[in-house]
């Protein structure tokens, strides 16, 4: 495929911060892609450059990209990786590389007259042929809705970053309805108890007290009042690198207590990202009672995921293309995870755009979950809606 036209624009994300949008055209086809941005970024993520710097870098590489014929996504991404020439993408920036890589996928899918999720699934099967049966036996992802925002995603409140509800249905419409009902119930609880309604970065409520357990107790009470005990489970993203150091006393006992008291479905990043030993310890203590998920620990990097697998430290991984910077490498991380029976949760970032690429990625990867914040923000709801639409197409 030859790219005929390529433009880079600065747009605003859900936090009203500058981010990148690429427009790419080939023949009769034209696509757009935009980059999300994280706030609780793992140390080992691909580098991130400012939107202004990205515009400059883009001008330097644009003509090279327009001149060349690319026969595959892999060839396109490898060309970018070579142009960048650094181990952590600090030259071109992971964000600039990612918008280009995503746009190329979309364009290639259009040329091949495929939906994006079909194109991505075929790329995965092409690279990991043994995964064909796993990937073609499609089960829609569970939705992980963030209802209380803490940590870096909130001006004050608990250390833990995300208190999530997970409706226990793979029917997208039913899941979205349950989320609506539950969130309305949670807002009523806040009002009844004289807590103000204010919202964090991912559209969940801000809980004003510095207490990590109380939000879970509230979530449980609301679920009981709504008679939804058998329909909704809870998950947590502690994002512990934002408040724990590797050498800090380990809160293993606290985690054991809350896993039991609230029957947590999954627990993401319970320890500092360099503290693999405690991930392993907690996982061995809880067996399969609750799934331990790596995010800052593994940053969508096949080598780090492999290391965590070898140490038996995790049951699943968060997949964020923006942590790695190209879709080819993101698919490598997914393939390796699936080969090792890890659960996959494809995730948005705390600064989001109207790009719904990750919805197609979650379907292509047959992910266990899609984590896209709260439906109160259009940038997040659009991803859940895209999965719903794909499911509607698939069931026709
Ligand atoms: C996360 O930690 O899962 C997350 C979405 O946060 P951020 O995008 O701020 O890194
Ligand atoms: Mg996380």
């Amino acid at each position: 495929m030859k790219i005929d036209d390529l433009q880079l624009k600065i747009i605003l994300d859900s936090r009203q911060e500058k981010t990148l949008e690429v427009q790419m055209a080939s023949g009769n086809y034209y696509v757009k892609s935009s980059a999300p941005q994280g706030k609780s970024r793992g140390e080992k993520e691909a580098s991130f450059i400012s939107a202004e710097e990205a515009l400059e870098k883009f001008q330097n590489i644009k003509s090279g990209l327009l001149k060349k014929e690319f026969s595959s996504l892999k060839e396109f991404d490898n060309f970018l990786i070579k142009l960048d020439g650094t181990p952590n993408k600090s030259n071109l920036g992971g964000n600039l590389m990612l918008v280009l890589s995503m746009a190329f996928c979309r364009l290639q899918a259009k040329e091949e007259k495929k939906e994006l999720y079909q194109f991505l699934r075929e790329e995965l099967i092409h690279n990991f042929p043994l995964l064909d049966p796993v990937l073609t036996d499609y089960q829609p992802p569970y939705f992980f809705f963030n209802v209380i925002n803490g940590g870096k995603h909130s001006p004050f409140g608990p250390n833990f970053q995300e208190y999530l509800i997970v409706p226990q249905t793979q029917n997208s419409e039913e899941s979205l309805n349950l989320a609506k009902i539950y969130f309305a119930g949670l807002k009523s609880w806040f009002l009844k108890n004289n807590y103000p309604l204010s919202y964090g970065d991912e559209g969940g409520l801000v809980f004003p007290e510095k207490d990590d357990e109380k939000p879970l107790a509230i979530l449980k009470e609301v679920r009981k009042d709504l008679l939804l005990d058998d329909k909704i489970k809870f998950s947590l993203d502690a994002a512990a690198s934002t408040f724990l150091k590797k050498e800090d006393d380990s809160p293993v006992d606290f985690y054991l207590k809350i896993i039991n008291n609230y029957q947590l479905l999954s627990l993401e990043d319970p320890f500092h990202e360099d503290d693999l030993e405690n991930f392993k310890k907690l996982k061995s203590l809880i067996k399969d009672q609750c799934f331990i998920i790596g995010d800052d620990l593994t940053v969508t990097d096949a080598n780090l995921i492999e290391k965590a697998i070898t140490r038996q430290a995790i049951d699943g991984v968060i997949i964020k293309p923006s942590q790695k910077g190209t879709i080819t490498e993101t698919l490598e991380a997914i393939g390796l995870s699936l080969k090792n029976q890890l659960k996959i949760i494809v995730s948005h970032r705390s600064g989001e755009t109207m790009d719904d690429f990750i919805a197609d990625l979650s379907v292509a990867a047959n992910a266990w979950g899609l984590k896209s914040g709260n439906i109160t923000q259009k940038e997040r709801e659009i991803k859940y809606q895209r999965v719903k639409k794909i499911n509607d197409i698939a069931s026709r």
Side-chain angles (χ1 to χ4, degrees), residues 40 161-162 237-239 268-269 295-296 318 320 347 371:
S40 65
Q161 183 176 276
E162 298 171 25
D237 178 7
E268 181 182 329
D269 282 347
D295 174 17
D296 294 342
I318 291 287
K320 294 169 173 165
S347 168
K371 185 172 90 146

Side-chain angles (χ1 to χ4, degrees), residues 57-285:
K57 300 268 173 170
F58 175 74
Q59 288 314 328
N60 299 336
I61 61 168
K62 181 175 170 179
S63 62
L65 292 170
L66 288 172
K67 259 192 235 135
K68 237 181 108 56
E69 180 88 33
F70 296 101
S71 65
S72 66
L73 170 67
K74 211 175 204 166
E75 200 180 304
F76 180 78
D77 284 346
N78 284 340
F79 183 77
L80 289 178
I81 290 168
K82 217 162 157 193
L83 271 183
D84 169 70
T86 69
N88 63 348
K89 308 198 169 68
S90 55
N91 180 15
L92 290 184
N95 45 340
L96 174 57
M97 290 170 73
L98 181 69
V99 275
L100 292 166
S101 180
M102 292 199 298
F104 188 89
C105 281
R106 286 204 159 100
L107 209 48
Q108 183 91 33
K110 287 217 168 177
E111 286 228 324
E112 294 177 15
K113 307 221 172 348
K114 288 173 190 151
E115 290 282 340
L116 180 58
Y117 70 89
Q118 289 172 319
F119 170 78
L120 292 169
R121 182 183 291 157
E122 284 170 23
E123 282 287 309
L124 265 172
I125 293 175
H126 181 74
N127 292 326
F128 297 89
L130 291 178
L131 290 177
D132 191 339
V134 178
L135 290 166
T136 38
D137 177 25
Y138 171 60
Q139 304 289 324
Y142 289 98
F143 292 162
F144 285 61
F145 298 102
N146 186 354
V147 291
I148 294 184
N149 294 183
K152 284 200 166 179
H153 296 169
S154 163
F156 36 71
N159 288 315
F160 292 166
Q161 183 176 276
E162 298 171 25
Y163 294 81
L164 305 130
I165 60 161
V166 190
Q168 292 301 289
T169 172
Q170 285 165 295
N171 177 316
S172 307
E173 186 169 357
E174 207 182 318
S175 188
L176 284 159
N177 282 339
L178 282 164
K180 249 183 234 156
I181 294 167
Y182 184 89
F183 199 59
L186 183 62
K187 285 198 292 190
S188 301
W189 189 98
F190 266 60
L191 291 174
K192 214 168 60 202
N193 290 276
N194 297 318
Y195 288 107
L197 292 186
S198 67
Y199 297 85
D201 287 17
E202 296 187 353
L205 289 167
V206 168
F207 180 67
E209 294 162 21
K210 199 161 190 65
D211 184 323
D212 290 338
E213 184 171 355
K214 199 163 168 189
L216 286 169
I218 297 167
L219 294 195
K220 195 170 166 180
E221 189 183 325
V222 170
R223 182 176 66 182
K224 188 160 179 280
D225 290 349
L226 293 169
L227 306 176
L228 290 175
D229 282 0
D230 58 341
K231 293 224 158 60
I232 284 177
K233 291 198 171 178
F234 304 134
S235 285
L236 258 188
D237 178 7
S241 291
T242 61
F243 63 90
L244 278 182
K245 294 200 182 68
K246 190 184 172 196
E247 57 280 8
D248 280 350
D249 283 345
S250 152
V252 165
D253 290 340
F254 178 67
Y255 285 127
L256 289 175
K257 182 179 101 176
I258 59 173
I259 286 168
N260 260 315
N261 286 356
Y262 304 99
Q263 309 268 287
L264 295 184
L265 176 66
S266 64
L267 176 53
E268 181 182 329
D269 282 347
F271 305 103
H272 186 276
E273 65 199 56
D274 293 327
D275 191 0
L276 205 54
E277 278 318 299
N278 271 314
F279 275 79
K280 183 182 156 114
K281 182 171 170 193
L282 183 62
K283 180 170 148 49
S284 72
L285 286 171

